[in-house]
């Protein structure tokens, strides 16, 4: 079925709002805000907190709109995405492109004018990485698409850190590394649950190219990697005991669901794992924030 075969309805503001993938962007902004707060011992300047996240959110929304535009022919074939505005013809491709350009330019202008150039350029690279490298090429080229493309999605907490400090720091990169390690088991769990959709759309996701059981094994292996990576903020003295406790409990929960998928006893384990992975990431970053403000750690070079 093509977009031409679908009855065209008039676009509403909700259709344009949907183009930005608001729930995904909200999760990204949560990690960006926490990245900002972790970068300083006190409070982030209000202008950076508001304008920095606004600029990042606009650029993320632009990348999402490009994803809707490029994927419109395959979105219509998949139950999860068949009602998307561009796929259904409610938003014309040209208008979606203009909308994406306006959002992206506005976001970049805000970051350049009110935040700092490094944040702006890193955000642009992240936007292009998702909208161009992943959406246009990797998604259709390799079953490792989500692993490589995950670099772009891992950027928000680093962007938040750089927006406050103006430079790259190992701790900011560590926050991005956690999301990078989280992305494969998160997305592959959904891909297992939606395997038939991806097969119909001819997208070479790992369950299609290598089988469901192979994918489930790799979800478990990547979950172990994520568990190890999530302990690094404690190991590097970035965060303290409260974070360590939270990371271990949440990590064991993720391992449980990955094993549950591998056991093949629960037909809904893929979607349950996917849902848990979202809760995991939100909770992990919130615990980072609690630890940062509630658990006092000695600063480097400062002795009690």
């Amino acid at each position: 079925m093509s977009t031409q075969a679908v009855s065209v309805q008039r676009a509403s503001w909700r259709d344009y709002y949907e183009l930005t993938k608001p729930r995904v962007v909200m999760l990204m902004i949560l990690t960006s805000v926490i990245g900002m707060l972790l970068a300083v011992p006190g409070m982030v300047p209000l202008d950076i907190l508001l304008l920095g996240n606004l600029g990042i959110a606009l650029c993320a929304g632009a990348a999402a709109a490009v994803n809707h535009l490029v994927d419109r022919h395959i979105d219509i074939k998949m139950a999860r995405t068949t009602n998307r505005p561009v796929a259904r013809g409610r938003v014309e491709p040209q208008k979606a492109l203009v909308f994406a350009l306006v959002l992206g330019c506005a976001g970049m202008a805000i970051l350049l004018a009110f935040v700092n150039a490094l944040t702006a350029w890193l955000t642009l690279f992240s936007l292009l990485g998702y909208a161009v490298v992943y959406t246009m090429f990797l998604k259709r080229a390799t079953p490792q698409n989500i692993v490589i493309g995950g670099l772009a999605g891992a950027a928000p907490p680093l962007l938040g850190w750089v927006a406050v400090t103006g430079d790259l720091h190992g701790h900011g990169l560590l926050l991005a590394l956690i999301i990078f390690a989280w992305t494969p088991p998160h997305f592959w769990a959904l891909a297992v649950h939606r395997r038939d959709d991806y097969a119909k759309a001819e997208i070479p996701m790992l369950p299609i190219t290598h089988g469901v059981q192979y994918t489930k094994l790799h979800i478990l292996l990547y979950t172990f990697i994520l568990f190890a990576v999530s302990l690094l903020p404690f190991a590097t003295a970035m965060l303290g005991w409260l974070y360590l406790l939270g990371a271990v409990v949440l990590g064991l929960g993720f391992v449980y669901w990955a094993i549950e998928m591998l056991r093949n006893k629960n037909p809904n384990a893929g979607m349950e794992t996917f849902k848990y992975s979202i809760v995991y990431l939100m909770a992990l970053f919130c615990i980072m924030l609690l630890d940062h403000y509630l658990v006092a750690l000695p600063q480097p070079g400062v002795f009690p």
Side-chain angles (χ1 to χ4, degrees):
M1 182 181 290
S2 67
T3 53
Q4 286 75 19
V6 181
S7 59
V8 178
Q9 302 173 11
R10 189 172 182 178
S12 69
W13 67 267
R14 291 182 181 84
D15 291 316
Y16 285 96
Y17 180 65
E18 186 180 343
L19 287 184
T20 65
K21 296 188 178 181
R23 286 183 293 182
V24 175
V25 171
M26 286 176 189
L27 181 58
M28 295 172 68
I29 294 305
L30 172 67
T31 64
S32 172
V33 168
I34 293 175
M36 288 183 174
L37 294 170
L38 293 177
V40 291
M43 183 57 186
V44 175
L46 190 59
D47 58 335
I48 298 296
L49 184 66
L50 295 178
L51 294 174
N53 284 296
L54 176 60
I56 293 168
L58 288 172
C59 289
V66 172
N67 178 266
H68 277 261
L69 173 63
V70 174
D71 282 353
R72 65 189 185 277
H73 299 300
I74 63 174
D75 282 345
I76 200 68
K77 301 176 182 178
M78 302 173 63
R80 183 174 65 92
T81 58
T82 188
N83 199 42
R84 283 180 171 175
V86 183
R88 279 286 163 182
R90 296 193 301 273
V91 176
E92 297 173 8
Q94 297 87 343
K95 291 181 179 179
L97 178 59
V98 170
F99 181 66
L101 288 172
V102 170
L103 289 185
C105 290
M108 284 295 294
I110 290 171
L111 294 175
L112 285 168
F114 301 107
V115 184
N116 58 63
L118 182 57
T119 303
W121 297 126
L122 287 174
T123 303
L124 178 61
F125 291 147
S126 176
L127 187 162
L128 294 175
Y130 177 75
V132 178
V133 178
Y134 169 72
T135 300
M136 292 186 177
F137 298 104
L138 288 176
K139 189 172 184 177
R140 295 159 175 79
T142 170
Q144 293 299 312
N145 45 24
I146 201 63
V147 178
I148 306 169
L151 283 169
L158 176 62
L159 299 177
W161 188 291
V162 174
V164 174
T165 64
D167 60 8
L168 293 170
H169 188 280
H171 287 163
L173 291 168
L174 188 52
L175 297 177
L177 180 61
I178 289 173
I179 299 182
F180 178 67
W182 166 86
T183 302
H186 159 73
F187 204 90
W188 281 336
L190 177 65
V192 167
H193 184 76
R194 297 288 189 178
R195 181 182 182 278
D196 292 341
D197 267 359
Y198 285 110
K200 189 187 303 182
E202 299 180 345
I203 299 297
M205 298 302 295
L206 197 64
I208 309 301
T209 60
H210 290 71
V212 169
Q213 204 63 18
Y214 179 92
T215 304
K216 290 178 178 180
L217 175 60
H218 278 71
I219 288 172
L220 179 60
L221 295 175
Y222 270 87
T223 302
F224 285 136
I225 293 172
L226 172 62
F227 189 96
V229 169
S230 71
L231 301 182
L232 291 178
F234 176 79
T236 59
M238 176 185 177
L239 295 168
W241 65 266
L242 180 60
Y243 170 76
L244 176 64
L245 178 62
V248 169
V249 171
L250 289 169
L252 289 176
F254 211 147
V255 170
Y256 164 80
W257 279 110
I259 293 174
E260 188 71 5
M261 287 191 69
L262 198 59
R263 291 176 64 237
N264 295 318
K265 300 291 186 181
N266 181 356
N268 294 318
M271 184 53 70
E272 294 297 330
T273 303
F274 175 75
K275 291 177 180 177
Y276 178 82
S277 69
I278 297 173
V279 173
Y280 168 90
L281 191 67
M282 294 174 63
L284 187 71
F285 272 77
C286 288
I287 291 170
M288 288 181 186
L289 199 58
L290 289 174
D291 186 284
H292 180 66
Y293 286 111
L294 298 180
V295 180
L297 290 176
Q299 298 298 312
V302 179
F303 300 94

